[in-house]
Amino acid sequence: VRAASGGGAVTLPPVGLERLSLNQITISQWTLPELADGCVRRGISTIAPWRERVAEVGVTQARRLLDDAGLRVSSLCRGGFFCAASERERRRALEDNRRAVDEAAELGTDCLVLVCGPPPGRDLEAARSMIADGIEQLVPHAAAAGVRLAIEPLHPMAIGERSAIVSLEEATELALHFDAAHVGVIVDVYHVFWDHRLAERIAAARDRILGFHVSDWLRHTTDTLQGRGMMGDGIIDLRSIRGWVEEAGYDGPIEVEVIGRPLWELDGDDLLALVCERFVACV
Amino acid sequence: VRAASGGGAVTLPPVGLERLSLNQITISQWTLPELADGCVRRGISTIAPWRERVAEVGVTQARRLLDDAGLRVSSLCRGGFFCAASERERRRALEDNRRAVDEAAELGTDCLVLVCGPPPGRDLEAARSMIADGIEQLVPHAAAAGVRLAIEPLHPMAIGERSAIVSLEEATELALHFDAAHVGVIVDVYHVFWDHRLAERIAAARDRILGFHVSDWLRHTTDTLQGRGMMGDGIIDLRSIRGWVEEAGYDGPIEVEVIGRPLWELDGDDLLALVCERFVACV
């Protein structure tokens, strides 16, 4: 008997640091200006900021400091949270999503990450329809701004607090309702690595992959929100997954998004050095 | 746009207490003799013991006290943990599984629940092959003892510590390698409810469903091992899932398996009363 398989292990050469995009939450101890300085010191060319950290300096000022530092933005995190019990709240969520699109455009990225939001009640199918409707209503504004919407399936343990979209299969099926020019998916290893048909799911997302995120799953995970591990400290076969993502045609930035509370106690430069070392060694 | 759907919501009448099987871990404050007494007081006819709690009194004595109490056993929890880095450890695991089969037979149940075990390293496919091999080697012994092996897919968050089999789709594909007389699956709502094609997955497990377990997913889950909620306290649409399981031909006991640490502080009789109330109201 062989276990069901979605694809073989892949032997790939290491990836260079020019593919690395530093997701801001990885080094939460830094403000956006500190992050920009740190990246320049380390020769990192690309970052992925979070909206609330951009808001600390203002979008216009953020764009100016990133330009001055010569930094590109791979994506903005995040829009989404489409579900709500009332029509009024859903309309408010849509307005906030339009602002997120505008901020992405102003920051010079064509990719807005969508964390789609948890179900308001027990009806998962209704929640998923709200999400589909929300994206449908957001697409025209995003298309006009030249911003693509990237549905990020979250780990199934995030269903109660973050997202009713919890598998890559589901995210891809949802994305395929829309034009590839406007809607795609994020493949974040942390959220999807457990899937026994992952290679197949990634192949099915061909031409829809708008981002590839890396971190690691710690064997003993106790914090469901901020318990991610540094690449190499967990059990994810990062290189095989990168191989499948590249076979599916994705050759863009690889975002390091490690949401790991203990790491935020470290010195930012030391943490960034570790990120770079592990990126080359493990991704 | 409609979200992908595996099946509509189901309107069903409540289920009666005669379908309830009390999984022992739900009332961990009770020993097996206390559990038997408590079930008799409450008119519960069926339980699902755990091996280590059976071992506290010994299997022979356990069988005697259950017979004296007129209690049936729906399943024994648990065999499995097939993965290991060395051949020697895997052989030892197989021996332990054979003992688990014998204990199930001695307790008068034809169902041994398998929690398949986490991957020893990063190679998930290798781990899944070890599990398939382990089951294949266990089947002859189980068949001879009249015990069926019930693969329980665990929630994907359990992959590092408990099981490399983390979706119902995967468990069913694995079970289908074997004769339906010998190997099937457990549908535990806690582990599988997030699946956007759950109704389809359950239908695909037709004639393979050897057990149906209920509890609830608390919206804010902080304990990944012992953080399950009582039915009705979380976001799982229990009745719809029961409908899909019944449509797939399962009409056996429904095990209440709430692994919820805070509940173990309660008085056992009070907790059992709550289990019964919520079983009728929510399942």
Side-chain angles (χ1 to χ4, degrees), chain A residues 128 161 169 194 201 220, chain B residues 128 161 169 194 201 220:
Chain A
R128 286 157 172 161
E161 298 182 289
E169 181 186 38
W194 51 266
R201 312 296 193 209
H220 304 290
Chain B
R128 285 156 173 164
E161 298 183 287
E169 181 186 36
W194 50 267
R201 312 297 193 207
H220 304 289

Side-chain angles (χ1 to χ4, degrees), chain B residues 19-23 44 46-48 74 253-257 279:
Chain B
R19 293 282 302 280
L20 192 160
S21 171
L22 183 62
N23 187 294
I44 301 299
T46 312
I47 68 164
S74 56
I254 300 173
E255 280 187 26
V256 174
E257 186 183 38
F279 187 82

Side-chain angles (χ1 to χ4, degrees), chain B residues 15-17 19-30 35 38-39 42 44 46-47 214-216 229-233 238 254-260 263-264 266-283:
Chain B
V15 70
L17 287 177
R19 293 282 302 280
L20 192 160
S21 171
L22 183 62
N23 187 294
Q24 181 168 19
I25 203 165
T26 302
I27 309 190
S28 284
Q29 53 272 59
W30 274 346
L35 184 77
C39 286
R42 196 82 209 171
I44 301 299
T46 312
I47 68 164
V214 296
S215 63
D216 214 335
M230 181 59 61
M231 298 81 75
D233 286 345
L238 294 160
I254 300 173
E255 280 187 26
V256 174
E257 186 183 38
V258 185
I259 308 181
L263 299 172
W264 301 335
L266 303 179
D267 170 78
D269 284 297
D270 292 346
L271 179 51
L272 183 52
L274 182 64
V275 163
C276 293
E277 178 197 320
R278 295 296 183 83
F279 187 82
V280 174
C282 305
V283 179

Side-chain angles (χ1 to χ4, degrees), chain A residues 1-9 118-122 124-125 128-129 132-133 136 155-161 164 166-167 169-170 173-174 177-178 193-197 201 216-217 219-222 224 232-237, chain B residues 1-9 118-122 124-125 128-129 132-133 136 155-161 164 166-167 169-170 173-174 177-178 193-197 201 216-217 219-222 224 232-237:
Chain A
V1 178
R2 286 289 299 170
S5 165
R122 290 193 179 88
L124 273 169
E125 196 165 327
R128 286 157 172 161
S129 288
D133 289 347
E136 187 171 39
H155 192 283
M157 72 183 175
I159 198 165
E161 298 182 289
V166 289
S167 73
E169 181 186 38
E170 180 180 13
E173 288 174 10
L174 179 53
H177 285 290
F178 303 96
F193 81 100
W194 51 266
D195 192 322
H196 76 301
R197 295 191 173 277
R201 312 296 193 209
D216 214 335
W217 179 274
R219 188 177 285 281
H220 304 290
T221 291
T222 51
T224 60
D233 287 345
I235 61 171
I236 302 181
D237 180 357
Chain B
V1 177
R2 285 290 298 172
S5 164
R122 290 193 180 86
L124 272 170
E125 195 165 327
R128 285 156 173 164
S129 289
D133 290 347
E136 187 172 38
H155 192 282
M157 74 183 173
I159 197 165
E161 298 183 287
V166 291
S167 73
E169 181 186 36
E170 180 180 13
E173 288 174 9
L174 179 53
H177 286 291
F178 303 95
F193 81 100
W194 50 267
D195 192 324
H196 76 302
R197 295 190 173 279
R201 312 297 193 207
D216 214 335
W217 179 272
R219 189 178 283 282
H220 304 289
T221 290
T222 51
T224 59
D233 286 345
I235 62 172
I236 302 181
D237 180 356

Side-chain angles (χ1 to χ4, degrees), chain A residues 186-279:
Chain A
I186 297 288
V187 176
D188 182 316
V189 297
Y190 189 80
H191 296 306
V192 304
F193 81 100
W194 51 266
D195 192 322
H196 76 301
R197 295 191 173 277
L198 184 57
E200 268 182 53
R201 312 296 193 209
I202 290 172
R206 169 171 287 280
D207 300 328
R208 295 285 178 155
I209 301 175
L210 303 183
F212 177 43
H213 296 184
V214 295
S215 64
D216 214 335
W217 179 274
L218 300 179
R219 188 177 285 281
H220 304 290
T221 291
T222 51
D223 184 333
T224 60
L225 294 178
Q226 301 177 333
R228 300 192 199 180
M230 181 59 61
M231 297 82 75
D233 287 345
I235 61 171
I236 302 181
D237 180 357
L238 293 159
R239 192 151 296 167
S240 290
I241 299 177
R242 174 167 69 86
W244 300 332
V245 167
E246 291 181 353
E247 279 171 18
Y250 182 78
D251 60 2
I254 300 174
E255 280 188 27
V256 175
E257 185 183 38
V258 186
I259 307 181
R261 175 170 287 278
L263 299 171
W264 300 336
E265 303 299 321
L266 303 178
D267 169 78
D269 284 298
D270 291 346
L271 179 51
L272 184 51
L274 182 65
V275 163
C276 293
E277 179 197 318
R278 296 295 183 84
F279 187 82

